[in-house]
Amino acid sequence: MTVNAHPNLDESRLVEALKRGEQAAFTEAVSTYTAGMLAVARYYVDPANAEEIVQDCWVTVIDAVRRFEGRSGLKTWLHRIVANRCKNLLRTSHREITTDFTERLEPELESRFKTSGRWATPPKLRFDESADVLLENGALSDCLDKHLGHLPENQRSALILYEAHQHKSDDVCNILDVSASNLRVMLHRARQKIFLMVETFQETGEC
Amino acid sequence: MLMCRELAGIASDYIDGELSTGRRLSVQMHLMMCRHCRSFIGNLRASTELLRGHSSARVEPAVIDRINHRVTEALSHRPETPDPDPDPDPDKDR
């Protein structure tokens, strides 16, 4: 994600250049927004098909961006294009997305409580140092990549859109077609897995 | 009285400010008395923040190259005036 002091100004310049069909603008937009679009696509379809869908969406965008009115941000607009295309495909193929939203705790964490509801195996270490300090450890960063790759697709997409792309809850619910309460469960389950991963890494140095 | 397991179940809602006032107060009361849950919340929050700074949405350069290739090709066939058909407009089903 590009961080700058005037993101809206830069975005409107980018949009205007995209409307004019400037190659450089598309190169910049593809490099900035493809990651999020892939996260959306992978929520709905197999990873193998996700890239093709995102490619098709970019081709669509070449023409569609001329009608972009800026009612939402460019990122949200692009993510919705991907979501809509995926939903249309699912409607024709009748593929269903099944998820268990009833359990809020990961089994591995659940087993760390006594029947009384108190901790049997509480967290041993505090690792709430700044995230930057933790990420300076390249091995931890690699481990995070690996574990993100192993998350169920729906949790991974929710986490990436909410955390890495900083979408608001409403937008994530709209793009992924989930209720607010189910989004809460997906985010919480995914975060617990990352927490358990960091804990193991801090304690043992192993991923 | 909120137990540790129950708190662990709603920890993300607490971190994101998604709890009702009553629920939030009972979490805060519990946290004042329970260092284990303070550690847990702190660690869960740190884990979450890791993702903000991390290139968690990294894409292989080859994927970007393939998209750029298709876009370049499509741009060369781009008509001068927009297609009158407004589909797809993702805003229209909001």
Side-chain angles (χ1 to χ4, degrees), chain A residues 99-121:
Chain A
T99 313
D100 179 11
F101 294 110
T102 52
E103 287 299 329
R104 295 187 67 91
L105 282 183
E106 283 294 304
E108 193 182 335
L109 192 64
E110 174 79 48
S111 68
R112 290 169 60 168
F113 291 95
K114 300 175 193 163
T115 48
S116 66
R118 293 180 194 281
W119 287 97
T121 315

PDB file of all heavy atoms in Angstrom, chain A residues 99-121:
ATOM      1  N   THR A  99     -18.916 -22.246   6.116  1.00  0.00           N
ATOM      2  CA  THR A  99     -18.061 -21.834   7.226  1.00  0.00           C
ATOM      3  C   THR A  99     -18.793 -22.104   8.525  1.00  0.00           C
ATOM      4  O   THR A  99     -20.009 -21.964   8.587  1.00  0.00           O
ATOM      5  CB  THR A  99     -17.767 -20.318   7.156  1.00  0.00           C
ATOM      6  OG1 THR A  99     -17.402 -19.992   5.833  1.00  0.00           O
ATOM      7  CG2 THR A  99     -16.659 -19.935   8.104  1.00  0.00           C
ATOM      8  N   ASP A 100     -18.039 -22.503   9.529  1.00  0.00           N
ATOM      9  CA  ASP A 100     -18.631 -22.676  10.847  1.00  0.00           C
ATOM     10  C   ASP A 100     -18.413 -21.395  11.648  1.00  0.00           C
ATOM     11  O   ASP A 100     -17.296 -21.069  12.013  1.00  0.00           O
ATOM     12  CB  ASP A 100     -17.976 -23.871  11.553  1.00  0.00           C
ATOM     13  CG  ASP A 100     -18.553 -24.065  12.949  1.00  0.00           C
ATOM     14  OD1 ASP A 100     -19.580 -23.416  13.259  1.00  0.00           O
ATOM     15  OD2 ASP A 100     -17.992 -24.852  13.715  1.00  0.00           O
ATOM     16  N   PHE A 101     -19.501 -20.675  11.873  1.00  0.00           N
ATOM     17  CA  PHE A 101     -19.371 -19.417  12.603  1.00  0.00           C
ATOM     18  C   PHE A 101     -19.788 -19.563  14.063  1.00  0.00           C
ATOM     19  O   PHE A 101     -19.941 -18.587  14.775  1.00  0.00           O
ATOM     20  CB  PHE A 101     -20.228 -18.326  11.942  1.00  0.00           C
ATOM     21  CG  PHE A 101     -19.746 -17.949  10.569  1.00  0.00           C
ATOM     22  CD1 PHE A 101     -20.476 -18.281   9.450  1.00  0.00           C
ATOM     23  CD2 PHE A 101     -18.555 -17.251  10.410  1.00  0.00           C
ATOM     24  CE1 PHE A 101     -20.040 -17.930   8.183  1.00  0.00           C
ATOM     25  CE2 PHE A 101     -18.106 -16.901   9.147  1.00  0.00           C
ATOM     26  CZ  PHE A 101     -18.851 -17.244   8.037  1.00  0.00           C
ATOM     27  N   THR A 102     -20.013 -20.805  14.502  1.00  0.00           N
ATOM     28  CA  THR A 102     -20.556 -20.970  15.851  1.00  0.00           C
ATOM     29  C   THR A 102     -19.474 -20.904  16.928  1.00  0.00           C
ATOM     30  O   THR A 102     -19.749 -20.510  18.051  1.00  0.00           O
ATOM     31  CB  THR A 102     -21.312 -22.314  15.981  1.00  0.00           C
ATOM     32  OG1 THR A 102     -20.430 -23.353  15.533  1.00  0.00           O
ATOM     33  CG2 THR A 102     -22.578 -22.313  15.133  1.00  0.00           C
ATOM     34  N   GLU A 103     -18.250 -21.313  16.578  1.00  0.00           N
ATOM     35  CA  GLU A 103     -17.181 -21.324  17.580  1.00  0.00           C
ATOM     36  C   GLU A 103     -16.342 -20.062  17.491  1.00  0.00           C
ATOM     37  O   GLU A 103     -15.786 -19.759  16.453  1.00  0.00           O
ATOM     38  CB  GLU A 103     -16.275 -22.551  17.366  1.00  0.00           C
ATOM     39  CG  GLU A 103     -16.910 -23.858  17.769  1.00  0.00           C
ATOM     40  CD  GLU A 103     -17.277 -23.892  19.246  1.00  0.00           C
ATOM     41  OE1 GLU A 103     -16.577 -23.236  20.059  1.00  0.00           O
ATOM     42  OE2 GLU A 103     -18.272 -24.549  19.591  1.00  0.00           O
ATOM     43  N   ARG A 104     -16.237 -19.359  18.595  1.00  0.00           N
ATOM     44  CA  ARG A 104     -15.442 -18.134  18.594  1.00  0.00           C
ATOM     45  C   ARG A 104     -13.990 -18.402  18.974  1.00  0.00           C
ATOM     46  O   ARG A 104     -13.123 -17.575  18.716  1.00  0.00           O
ATOM     47  CB  ARG A 104     -16.036 -17.108  19.562  1.00  0.00           C
ATOM     48  CG  ARG A 104     -17.418 -16.624  19.145  1.00  0.00           C
ATOM     49  CD  ARG A 104     -17.872 -15.500  20.047  1.00  0.00           C
ATOM     50  NE  ARG A 104     -17.056 -14.326  19.874  1.00  0.00           N
ATOM     51  CZ  ARG A 104     -17.305 -13.351  19.011  1.00  0.00           C
ATOM     52  NH1 ARG A 104     -18.352 -13.417  18.248  1.00  0.00           N
ATOM     53  NH2 ARG A 104     -16.512 -12.315  18.915  1.00  0.00           N
ATOM     54  N   LEU A 105     -13.727 -19.548  19.645  1.00  0.00           N
ATOM     55  CA  LEU A 105     -12.360 -19.839  20.073  1.00  0.00           C
ATOM     56  C   LEU A 105     -11.748 -20.937  19.219  1.00  0.00           C
ATOM     57  O   LEU A 105     -12.404 -21.920  18.886  1.00  0.00           O
ATOM     58  CB  LEU A 105     -12.339 -20.287  21.544  1.00  0.00           C
ATOM     59  CG  LEU A 105     -12.455 -19.198  22.616  1.00  0.00           C
ATOM     60  CD1 LEU A 105     -12.347 -19.813  24.004  1.00  0.00           C
ATOM     61  CD2 LEU A 105     -11.394 -18.112  22.441  1.00  0.00           C
ATOM     62  N   GLU A 106     -10.472 -20.768  18.878  1.00  0.00           N
ATOM     63  CA  GLU A 106      -9.720 -21.819  18.212  1.00  0.00           C
ATOM     64  C   GLU A 106      -9.576 -22.986  19.181  1.00  0.00           C
ATOM     65  O   GLU A 106      -9.337 -22.771  20.382  1.00  0.00           O
ATOM     66  CB  GLU A 106      -8.307 -21.301  17.864  1.00  0.00           C
ATOM     67  CG  GLU A 106      -8.259 -20.384  16.676  1.00  0.00           C
ATOM     68  CD  GLU A 106      -8.627 -21.104  15.396  1.00  0.00           C
ATOM     69  OE1 GLU A 106      -7.979 -22.113  15.079  1.00  0.00           O
ATOM     70  OE2 GLU A 106      -9.566 -20.665  14.722  1.00  0.00           O
ATOM     71  N   PRO A 107      -9.698 -24.245  18.699  1.00  0.00           N
ATOM     72  CA  PRO A 107      -9.573 -25.399  19.609  1.00  0.00           C
ATOM     73  C   PRO A 107      -8.281 -25.360  20.434  1.00  0.00           C
ATOM     74  O   PRO A 107      -8.295 -25.689  21.631  1.00  0.00           O
ATOM     75  CB  PRO A 107      -9.573 -26.590  18.656  1.00  0.00           C
ATOM     76  CG  PRO A 107     -10.286 -26.105  17.436  1.00  0.00           C
ATOM     77  CD  PRO A 107     -10.016 -24.642  17.332  1.00  0.00           C
ATOM     78  N   GLU A 108      -7.187 -24.925  19.810  1.00  0.00           N
ATOM     79  CA  GLU A 108      -5.911 -24.894  20.529  1.00  0.00           C
ATOM     80  C   GLU A 108      -5.940 -23.904  21.693  1.00  0.00           C
ATOM     81  O   GLU A 108      -5.306 -24.122  22.731  1.00  0.00           O
ATOM     82  CB  GLU A 108      -4.780 -24.516  19.550  1.00  0.00           C
ATOM     83  CG  GLU A 108      -3.399 -24.759  20.121  1.00  0.00           C
ATOM     84  CD  GLU A 108      -2.288 -24.324  19.151  1.00  0.00           C
ATOM     85  OE1 GLU A 108      -2.523 -24.287  17.933  1.00  0.00           O
ATOM     86  OE2 GLU A 108      -1.195 -24.015  19.653  1.00  0.00           O
ATOM     87  N   LEU A 109      -6.681 -22.845  21.536  1.00  0.00           N
ATOM     88  CA  LEU A 109      -6.797 -21.870  22.631  1.00  0.00           C
ATOM     89  C   LEU A 109      -7.822 -22.353  23.655  1.00  0.00           C
ATOM     90  O   LEU A 109      -7.609 -22.254  24.862  1.00  0.00           O
ATOM     91  CB  LEU A 109      -7.198 -20.502  22.068  1.00  0.00           C
ATOM     92  CG  LEU A 109      -7.067 -19.326  23.042  1.00  0.00           C
ATOM     93  CD1 LEU A 109      -5.612 -19.101  23.441  1.00  0.00           C
ATOM     94  CD2 LEU A 109      -7.631 -18.052  22.435  1.00  0.00           C
ATOM     95  N   GLU A 110      -8.913 -22.902  23.151  1.00  0.00           N
ATOM     96  CA  GLU A 110      -9.982 -23.436  24.017  1.00  0.00           C
ATOM     97  C   GLU A 110      -9.400 -24.430  25.030  1.00  0.00           C
ATOM     98  O   GLU A 110      -9.771 -24.431  26.209  1.00  0.00           O
ATOM     99  CB  GLU A 110     -11.030 -24.123  23.126  1.00  0.00           C
ATOM    100  CG  GLU A 110     -12.144 -24.856  23.843  1.00  0.00           C
ATOM    101  CD  GLU A 110     -13.234 -23.927  24.352  1.00  0.00           C
ATOM    102  OE1 GLU A 110     -13.696 -23.086  23.573  1.00  0.00           O
ATOM    103  OE2 GLU A 110     -13.615 -24.041  25.537  1.00  0.00           O
ATOM    104  N   SER A 111      -8.443 -25.251  24.569  1.00  0.00           N
ATOM    105  CA  SER A 111      -7.892 -26.300  25.439  1.00  0.00           C
ATOM    106  C   SER A 111      -7.002 -25.716  26.541  1.00  0.00           C
ATOM    107  O   SER A 111      -6.552 -26.455  27.418  1.00  0.00           O
ATOM    108  CB  SER A 111      -7.079 -27.291  24.595  1.00  0.00           C
ATOM    109  OG  SER A 111      -5.913 -26.654  24.111  1.00  0.00           O
ATOM    110  N   ARG A 112      -6.750 -24.441  26.488  1.00  0.00           N
ATOM    111  CA  ARG A 112      -5.901 -23.830  27.511  1.00  0.00           C
ATOM    112  C   ARG A 112      -6.697 -23.266  28.681  1.00  0.00           C
ATOM    113  O   ARG A 112      -6.134 -22.602  29.562  1.00  0.00           O
ATOM    114  CB  ARG A 112      -5.026 -22.746  26.858  1.00  0.00           C
ATOM    115  CG  ARG A 112      -3.967 -23.381  25.957  1.00  0.00           C
ATOM    116  CD  ARG A 112      -3.248 -22.400  25.103  1.00  0.00           C
ATOM    117  NE  ARG A 112      -2.547 -21.384  25.879  1.00  0.00           N
ATOM    118  CZ  ARG A 112      -1.653 -20.540  25.347  1.00  0.00           C
ATOM    119  NH1 ARG A 112      -1.356 -20.620  24.073  1.00  0.00           N
ATOM    120  NH2 ARG A 112      -1.074 -19.645  26.106  1.00  0.00           N
ATOM    121  N   PHE A 113      -8.007 -23.537  28.708  1.00  0.00           N
ATOM    122  CA  PHE A 113      -8.834 -23.091  29.832  1.00  0.00           C
ATOM    123  C   PHE A 113      -9.301 -24.273  30.656  1.00  0.00           C
ATOM    124  O   PHE A 113      -9.533 -25.363  30.125  1.00  0.00           O
ATOM    125  CB  PHE A 113     -10.049 -22.311  29.303  1.00  0.00           C
ATOM    126  CG  PHE A 113      -9.685 -20.991  28.691  1.00  0.00           C
ATOM    127  CD1 PHE A 113      -9.499 -20.870  27.328  1.00  0.00           C
ATOM    128  CD2 PHE A 113      -9.506 -19.866  29.499  1.00  0.00           C
ATOM    129  CE1 PHE A 113      -9.144 -19.655  26.761  1.00  0.00           C
ATOM    130  CE2 PHE A 113      -9.148 -18.642  28.934  1.00  0.00           C
ATOM    131  CZ  PHE A 113      -8.966 -18.547  27.571  1.00  0.00           C
ATOM    132  N   LYS A 114      -9.427 -24.059  31.975  1.00  0.00           N
ATOM    133  CA  LYS A 114     -10.019 -25.077  32.847  1.00  0.00           C
ATOM    134  C   LYS A 114     -11.525 -25.095  32.624  1.00  0.00           C
ATOM    135  O   LYS A 114     -12.080 -24.163  32.033  1.00  0.00           O
ATOM    136  CB  LYS A 114      -9.755 -24.728  34.318  1.00  0.00           C
ATOM    137  CG  LYS A 114      -8.293 -24.641  34.707  1.00  0.00           C
ATOM    138  CD  LYS A 114      -8.203 -24.155  36.156  1.00  0.00           C
ATOM    139  CE  LYS A 114      -6.786 -23.734  36.506  1.00  0.00           C
ATOM    140  NZ  LYS A 114      -6.712 -22.907  37.713  1.00  0.00           N
ATOM    141  N   THR A 115     -12.181 -26.138  33.137  1.00  0.00           N
ATOM    142  CA  THR A 115     -13.637 -26.191  32.983  1.00  0.00           C
ATOM    143  C   THR A 115     -14.308 -25.024  33.698  1.00  0.00           C
ATOM    144  O   THR A 115     -15.400 -24.607  33.327  1.00  0.00           O
ATOM    145  CB  THR A 115     -14.208 -27.520  33.523  1.00  0.00           C
ATOM    146  OG1 THR A 115     -13.633 -27.751  34.816  1.00  0.00           O
ATOM    147  CG2 THR A 115     -13.893 -28.679  32.593  1.00  0.00           C
ATOM    148  N   SER A 116     -13.646 -24.485  34.712  1.00  0.00           N
ATOM    149  CA  SER A 116     -14.201 -23.328  35.438  1.00  0.00           C
ATOM    150  C   SER A 116     -14.211 -22.071  34.568  1.00  0.00           C
ATOM    151  O   SER A 116     -14.852 -21.080  34.925  1.00  0.00           O
ATOM    152  CB  SER A 116     -13.360 -23.050  36.689  1.00  0.00           C
ATOM    153  OG  SER A 116     -12.061 -22.620  36.311  1.00  0.00           O
ATOM    154  N   GLY A 117     -13.479 -22.098  33.429  1.00  0.00           N
ATOM    155  CA  GLY A 117     -13.409 -20.925  32.569  1.00  0.00           C
ATOM    156  C   GLY A 117     -12.181 -20.071  32.836  1.00  0.00           C
ATOM    157  O   GLY A 117     -11.971 -19.057  32.182  1.00  0.00           O
ATOM    158  N   ARG A 118     -11.361 -20.466  33.827  1.00  0.00           N
ATOM    159  CA  ARG A 118     -10.109 -19.727  34.065  1.00  0.00           C
ATOM    160  C   ARG A 118      -8.987 -20.323  33.232  1.00  0.00           C
ATOM    161  O   ARG A 118      -9.081 -21.447  32.755  1.00  0.00           O
ATOM    162  CB  ARG A 118      -9.719 -19.825  35.557  1.00  0.00           C
ATOM    163  CG  ARG A 118     -10.669 -19.102  36.470  1.00  0.00           C
ATOM    164  CD  ARG A 118     -10.214 -19.258  37.931  1.00  0.00           C
ATOM    165  NE  ARG A 118     -11.260 -18.861  38.851  1.00  0.00           N
ATOM    166  CZ  ARG A 118     -11.544 -17.592  39.142  1.00  0.00           C
ATOM    167  NH1 ARG A 118     -10.842 -16.617  38.617  1.00  0.00           N
ATOM    168  NH2 ARG A 118     -12.527 -17.311  39.974  1.00  0.00           N
ATOM    169  N   TRP A 119      -7.906 -19.556  33.098  1.00  0.00           N
ATOM    170  CA  TRP A 119      -6.751 -20.035  32.339  1.00  0.00           C
ATOM    171  C   TRP A 119      -6.105 -21.233  33.021  1.00  0.00           C
ATOM    172  O   TRP A 119      -5.849 -21.195  34.231  1.00  0.00           O
ATOM    173  CB  TRP A 119      -5.680 -18.947  32.231  1.00  0.00           C
ATOM    174  CG  TRP A 119      -5.995 -17.829  31.300  1.00  0.00           C
ATOM    175  CD1 TRP A 119      -6.522 -16.612  31.621  1.00  0.00           C
ATOM    176  CD2 TRP A 119      -5.776 -17.803  29.885  1.00  0.00           C
ATOM    177  NE1 TRP A 119      -6.665 -15.836  30.500  1.00  0.00           N
ATOM    178  CE2 TRP A 119      -6.210 -16.539  29.422  1.00  0.00           C
ATOM    179  CE3 TRP A 119      -5.272 -18.727  28.958  1.00  0.00           C
ATOM    180  CZ2 TRP A 119      -6.150 -16.173  28.077  1.00  0.00           C
ATOM    181  CZ3 TRP A 119      -5.206 -18.355  27.626  1.00  0.00           C
ATOM    182  CH2 TRP A 119      -5.655 -17.099  27.189  1.00  0.00           C
ATOM    183  N   ALA A 120      -5.857 -22.318  32.283  1.00  0.00           N
ATOM    184  CA  ALA A 120      -5.019 -23.413  32.781  1.00  0.00           C
ATOM    185  C   ALA A 120      -3.587 -23.173  32.295  1.00  0.00           C
ATOM    186  O   ALA A 120      -2.629 -23.361  33.035  1.00  0.00           O
ATOM    187  CB  ALA A 120      -5.539 -24.752  32.261  1.00  0.00           C
ATOM    188  N   THR A 121      -3.453 -22.763  31.042  1.00  0.00           N
ATOM    189  CA  THR A 121      -2.139 -22.439  30.464  1.00  0.00           C
ATOM    190  C   THR A 121      -2.186 -21.013  29.944  1.00  0.00           C
ATOM    191  O   THR A 121      -2.473 -20.774  28.771  1.00  0.00           O
ATOM    192  CB  THR A 121      -1.814 -23.400  29.291  1.00  0.00           C
ATOM    193  OG1 THR A 121      -2.140 -24.736  29.679  1.00  0.00           O
ATOM    194  CG2 THR A 121      -0.346 -23.336  28.914  1.00  0.00           C
TER     195      THR A 121
END
